[in-house]
Amino acid sequence: MSRKTHISAGPPKDKKLTPPRPSASVVLLSPENQVLLLHRVRTSSAFPSAHVFPGGNLSDFHDGTVPGPDDPTRHDDSLPYRLGAIRETFEESGILLAREGSQDGKPLDIPSSERDKARRAIYKNEVRFVEWLRSVGGVADTENLLPFTRWITPLNQPRRFTTQMYLYMLPLSTSNDPAVSAARSEAIIPTPDGGAEITAARFDDASVWLERQRKGEIVMFPPQCFLLHLLSQFLDGPPQGSPSPTDLMEHYRSQREKLRGFLATVPTTSEPKAAKHPTAQIPWAEKVISPTTLGIRQSDKRSILALDKPGPELKGSDRGGDWERVVLVRFVKGVAKDVEVRSREEVLAEERRLENAAKETKL
């Protein structure tokens, strides 16, 4: 394994630190516990050609303000991030995560024609998102967003973001939401930007998305692959046989309960060595990940990305990510290829064996 400087060890002395822009994304589960991904166009300003979770940049106009670049609390979960996540999901997919009247109300149902009109108006800043919701008797369902890691772009990228990820579980009962129904089979979605960023939306099993990426059928970047990897341990599709509707709903409810238990458990690993690392005591809701390059694999020349550092903005704080796992990836002209989530210890042990074998060959 060839060694490289850790890219988030601190800003270069001769280069100004570009503040990461606040953004938010939603890992959205269907009533069948499938995950929604949107297909970005090749010319997209972020993650070109990739399949991504719905989300985008925060807007002062719609979502409110977050602390400035020099304030560490800029990287904390807060109401603006939650509003931004729900608004962007609505703009990009048409799926509205809102309730009637209050947080205790039933899911807000808006006709498709009214949704499309509102999406255009919100996108053009003709009306504030929360004001439009209020006008139709709804409130954003911010309380049911579960924080699920934050990602801060490393220093070696021209565009940097501090992205709060959320998990949201749509009700288990069969949804009549037309946008949800359309995304169950890949839908070409009309977007308020005229299709400048997103072309299609689809729900599918986490394991299916990962397999399609492995085969090279789709592009996914490390954050998406990592979170889908975690979800795939619990959301493993429908039961075998021909279960009744009641049994089917119970099956999906059980999957969600196991996932919630995993997200709430500290330490976040059962692997003995990883459990000793300080990041194991940080719950998934509070983990902050800024990938750093450990080296290049000898066998396939993929980069080995560590996930335990929180990035230069939070260097020296008690924030951190996941020490137990690494991501293997090959970047080709800025596009991620052959992304794989592996055990850190296993990958580094493989590299040591190859290094020792190479030394013995030379002798």
Side-chain angles (χ1 to χ4, degrees), residues 45-61:
S45 59
F47 300 114
S49 301
H51 278 71
V52 299
F53 306 123
N57 295 325
L58 267 59
S59 162
D60 290 350
F61 177 75

Side-chain angles (χ1 to χ4, degrees), residues 109-112 115 175-183:
D109 186 19
I110 300 293
S112 295
R115 289 187 194 216
S175 176
N176 294 320
D177 187 319
V180 173
S181 298

Side-chain angles (χ1 to χ4, degrees), residues 7-24:
I7 53 181
S8 70
K13 294 181 180 179
D14 59 348
K15 192 173 183 180
K16 185 178 180 181
L17 180 63
T18 303
R21 188 171 181 178
S23 64

Side-chain angles (χ1 to χ4, degrees), residues 245-265:
T246 300
D247 290 340
L248 197 59
M249 187 178 294
E250 184 56 37
H251 174 77
Y252 292 131
R253 180 180 290 108
S254 176
Q255 288 182 341
R256 293 183 175 191
E257 289 176 356
K258 291 176 182 177
L259 174 58
R260 287 179 181 272
F262 167 77
L263 297 178
T265 299

Side-chain angles (χ1 to χ4, degrees), residues 85-359:
I86 292 175
R87 174 185 54 79
E88 282 286 339
T89 298
F90 181 54
E91 287 186 21
E92 292 188 330
S93 71
I95 298 174
L96 181 59
L97 308 181
R99 300 269 171 181
E100 290 184 1
S102 69
Q103 293 287 342
D104 296 327
K106 64 181 182 179
L108 184 65
D109 186 19
I110 300 293
S112 295
S113 59
E114 291 187 26
R115 289 187 194 216
D116 292 342
K117 182 179 178 181
R119 289 166 69 196
R120 288 191 294 271
I122 293 165
Y123 175 77
K124 294 178 181 179
N125 293 341
E126 294 174 352
V127 60
R128 285 185 170 84
F129 177 55
V130 292
E131 290 179 357
W132 171 75
L133 275 176
R134 192 179 302 117
S135 73
V136 294
V139 295
D141 192 13
T142 54
E143 291 187 7
N144 281 312
L145 289 172
L146 304 177
F148 188 29
T149 70
R150 173 180 291 270
W151 293 71
I152 297 181
T153 312
L155 287 174
N156 63 337
Q157 300 298 317
R159 295 165 58 89
R160 300 184 66 227
F161 303 92
T162 173
T163 304
Q164 180 64 59
M165 298 288 192
Y166 296 100
L167 181 67
Y168 187 97
M169 304 178 187
L170 290 170
L172 284 169
S173 57
T174 302
S175 176
N176 294 320
D177 187 319
V180 173
S181 298
R184 284 189 168 108
S185 59
E186 188 157 11
I188 307 301
I189 52 176
T191 53
D193 63 5
E197 295 285 337
I198 301 296
T199 61
R202 182 183 177 88
F203 282 106
D204 216 330
D205 293 332
S207 60
V208 171
W209 287 125
L210 292 170
E211 180 65 10
R212 290 187 64 190
Q213 188 278 147
R214 188 190 68 79
K215 291 180 177 179
E217 297 175 358
I218 63 173
V219 172
M220 289 197 300
F221 281 76
Q224 287 76 27
C225 287
F226 179 78
L227 296 180
L228 286 170
H229 172 81
L230 295 181
L231 293 177
S232 68
Q233 301 173 79
F234 306 96
L235 311 181
D236 52 3
Q240 295 182 350
S242 302
S244 68
T246 300
D247 290 340
L248 197 59
M249 187 178 294
E250 184 56 37
H251 174 77
Y252 292 131
R253 180 180 290 108
S254 176
Q255 288 182 341
R256 293 183 175 191
E257 289 176 356
K258 291 176 182 177
L259 174 58
R260 287 179 181 272
F262 167 77
L263 297 178
T265 299
V266 175
T268 56
T269 177
S270 58
E271 198 279 321
K273 187 170 183 179
K276 295 179 181 179
H277 196 271
T279 57
Q281 300 302 321
I282 302 173
W284 288 105
E286 299 176 14
K287 287 185 184 294
V288 181
I289 298 173
S290 184
T292 62
T293 303
L294 290 179
I296 304 297
R297 292 239 301 175
Q298 297 179 58
S299 59
D300 57 19
K301 305 306 178 184
R302 284 187 291 176
S303 296
I304 305 172
L305 302 183
L307 307 172
D308 55 312
K309 306 295 184 185
E313 286 77 14
L314 295 173
K315 185 178 180 181
S317 71
D318 59 357
R319 309 295 295 275
D322 180 36
W323 186 90
E324 182 181 7
R325 301 167 185 84
V326 295
V327 171
L328 306 180
V329 60
R330 182 184 295 106
F331 288 103
V332 181
K333 296 182 179 180
V335 176
K337 302 284 187 180
D338 304 320
V339 186
E340 183 182 6
V341 180
R342 293 277 307 278
S343 159
R344 180 190 188 116
E345 285 294 282
E346 289 180 0
V347 168
L348 297 185
E350 290 173 359
E351 296 305 306
R352 288 192 292 269
R353 286 195 294 270
L354 289 173
E355 289 177 357
N356 292 336
K359 290 178 182 177

Side-chain angles (χ1 to χ4, degrees), residues 58-66 80 83:
L58 267 59
S59 162
D60 290 350
F61 177 75
H62 291 290
D63 314 317
T65 59
V66 297
L83 287 174

